[in-house]
Amino acid sequence: MANKQLEQLRAHLESPEGERQLSEWVKTYAAALDHNDRWVQKFKNRCETDLAASMRKLVKKYSSKEYIDREYRLNREPRETLLWLAYEYAVRYCKPYRGKKYLNDFTAGAYHIGPYVIQLMVGQGSALRIDKK
């Protein structure tokens, strides 16, 4: 059964319509990567000179009761867009964290970012955890 489905998929991708759809997907994906790269560069340009203060502001903002309550009033989990951007920055420009103190079984990656350790945890979802060293 799976082999038949694989053949159908291959035939679709080799058709003109399949090639067009794949080409559109590649363009969309490339645009998303480019967008992400530009925002990481903006974060680097704006925050790298005083990473400690920038991270302190981000942690304060996203952990504040006011922010969390406002997001829940809008019927959504609190978004942490700039923290995810900080994690992307850390992946590219910061040293990996090699200690054991801040890690747990769900840690997928951890990095030093200023006076903090930022880690990606995955389980039934993804979350960022930030600890001050």
Side-chain angles (χ1 to χ4, degrees):
M1 176 103 179
N3 203 16
K4 183 179 177 184
Q5 291 172 335
L6 186 58
E7 288 303 318
Q8 288 174 339
L9 176 61
R10 183 174 296 145
H12 173 71
L13 291 175
E14 291 173 352
S15 72
E17 177 64 16
E19 288 179 0
R20 185 191 64 75
Q21 289 175 347
L22 185 59
S23 176
E24 285 179 15
W25 180 85
V26 167
K27 287 178 186 174
T28 302
Y29 185 70
L33 288 177
D34 184 52
H35 180 263
N36 191 46
D37 288 344
R38 282 183 282 142
W39 276 101
V40 169
Q41 272 309 119
K42 285 181 183 183
F43 183 90
K44 183 180 189 298
N45 294 340
R46 292 181 183 175
C47 299
E48 197 170 52
T49 55
D50 194 0
L51 206 48
S54 298
M55 288 303 296
R56 189 170 42 254
K57 286 178 186 178
L58 290 178
V59 169
K60 183 178 177 183
K61 172 189 174 175
Y62 287 117
S63 63
S64 72
K65 183 174 177 6
E66 295 80 21
Y67 178 78
I68 293 169
D69 288 347
R70 185 180 76 224
E71 289 291 295
Y72 281 130
R73 276 194 306 275
L74 295 170
N75 295 317
R76 61 183 175 218
E77 286 291 317
R79 299 169 300 166
E80 299 175 332
T81 308
L82 295 176
L83 289 180
W84 285 96
L85 187 61
Y87 180 77
E88 286 293 324
Y89 166 83
V91 167
R92 294 180 191 187
Y93 298 107
C94 299
K95 293 180 183 176
Y97 176 73
R98 301 280 185 221
K100 301 272 187 235
K101 181 176 181 181
Y102 302 110
L103 306 183
N104 60 50
D105 292 340
F106 299 102
T107 301
Y111 298 87
H112 296 274
I113 184 166
Y116 295 89
V117 172
I118 188 168
Q119 66 176 300
L120 171 63
M121 298 186 307
V122 293
Q124 291 182 341
S126 299
L128 291 174
R129 178 176 163 181
I130 299 173
D131 296 295
K132 188 163 184 164
K133 296 187 267 184

